[in-house]
Amino acid sequence: MKFSRPDADVFVPSGGKPEAAFGRVTHLCIAAHADDIEIMAADAILACRGSQELAFGGVVVADGAGSPRTGPFASLDNAGMVAVRREEQRSAASLGKYAVQVQLGHPSAAVKAGDHAVATDLDSILAAARPRVVYLHNPADKHDTHAAVMARCIEALRRLPSNHRPGRVLGCEVWRGLDWLDDAEKVALDSSGDPKLAADLIAVFRSQIEGGKRYDLGTLGRRAANATFHQPRVGDAATSVTWAMDLTPLARDQNLSIAEFTLAQVDRLKADIAARLGRVGGI
């Protein structure tokens, strides 16, 4: 497969041609940066790893050149950081036994601007894969590049023929948690089954963890908190949960505004708070 940038990286951990690997993908995560996939879609990685019927594919859209760096990575320039992060993402794909891992290497500015090359690459990937489930960043994420990647992906999904669109599209937590969603709207992504592998997938990204951000502690802690603080009156059904927002309506309805869709969920949070305070006599 050829993509718009000469430095785009296509990796098939088990060997073979990317086209065949994409043809096996049932669960596809398209994320902004190296390590976002492992934060967002651990449930799918765990479910697909070793399965004869399911296969996981990962796509990283942006190059991640601007990530913070301290300690052993402090001396790296942008090109050096990109190279390190690329190898880390490959290592995660091998550990998780992904069917395929693509790193498109677009600058964040190009993604935010809606560059034609970004759209072309996403179209090529979605033409090669027919996933049942697609994992994206959620539209309330507070990282601009994450939100931009999500928007470019929704645009690409809408360009697909309706019978080629995935059955489900999910927007996942990274730079904003989704505990605020109404309980009826939360989608629970349960990664309780293999806590060691879930932790090991995050630990691969040394450039981020030792470079100044403890994503290993933060990610696993948030998943544990989500599981524990979900229901106040019943025992925990899981020990590790990532919350997701169902974005399937956005992929199917060409006229549905991403902003209006998301702000309507914020309005439902406001209504829930107001109703509860009204019940208990809140001033």
Side-chain angles (χ1 to χ4, degrees), residues 32-53:
H33 304 112
D35 82 354
D36 287 340
I37 289 171
E38 291 68 28
I39 294 172
M40 295 162 61
D43 74 305
I45 297 169
L46 270 56
C48 293
R49 190 177 188 268
S51 172
Q52 297 299 311
E53 299 177 355

Side-chain angles (χ1 to χ4, degrees), residues 67-96:
S67 61
R69 59 206 78 165
T70 59
F73 302 95
S75 63
L76 290 178
D77 60 10
N78 283 349
M81 179 56 78
V82 168
V84 167
R85 298 192 75 177
R86 175 166 295 184
E87 289 307 310
E88 290 172 339
Q89 187 62 64
R90 278 177 158 242
S91 295
S94 294
L95 177 62

Side-chain angles (χ1 to χ4, degrees), residues 96-173:
K97 297 184 178 180
Y98 303 177
V100 62
Q101 174 67 60
V102 176
Q103 299 184 75
L104 296 173
H106 290 286
S108 290
V111 181
K112 295 172 191 173
D115 191 287
H116 179 70
V118 177
T120 298
D121 286 348
L122 292 174
D123 288 347
S124 296
I125 289 166
L126 292 171
R130 296 282 182 85
R132 304 174 193 174
V133 186
V134 171
Y135 292 73
L136 304 177
H137 293 288
N138 81 80
D141 194 295
K142 66 180 180 180
H143 192 307
D144 285 5
T145 307
H146 290 195
V149 168
M150 176 277 308
R152 302 294 84 79
C153 289
I154 292 296
E155 293 163 358
L157 288 167
R158 288 175 172 181
R159 288 193 291 270
L160 289 171
S162 58
N163 61 331
H164 289 181
R165 294 173 191 170
R168 202 172 202 193
V169 181
L170 301 173
C172 309
E173 299 174 308

Side-chain angles (χ1 to χ4, degrees), residues 7-55:
D7 56 347
D9 182 64
V10 182
F11 177 50
V12 180
S14 64
K17 294 186 176 181
E19 292 85 356
F22 265 115
R24 298 195 303 272
V25 169
T26 58
H27 293 66
L28 179 67
C29 182
I30 307 177
H33 304 112
D35 82 354
D36 287 340
I37 289 171
E38 291 68 28
I39 294 172
M40 295 162 61
D43 74 305
I45 297 169
L46 270 56
C48 293
R49 190 177 188 268
S51 172
Q52 297 299 311
E53 299 177 355
L54 307 177

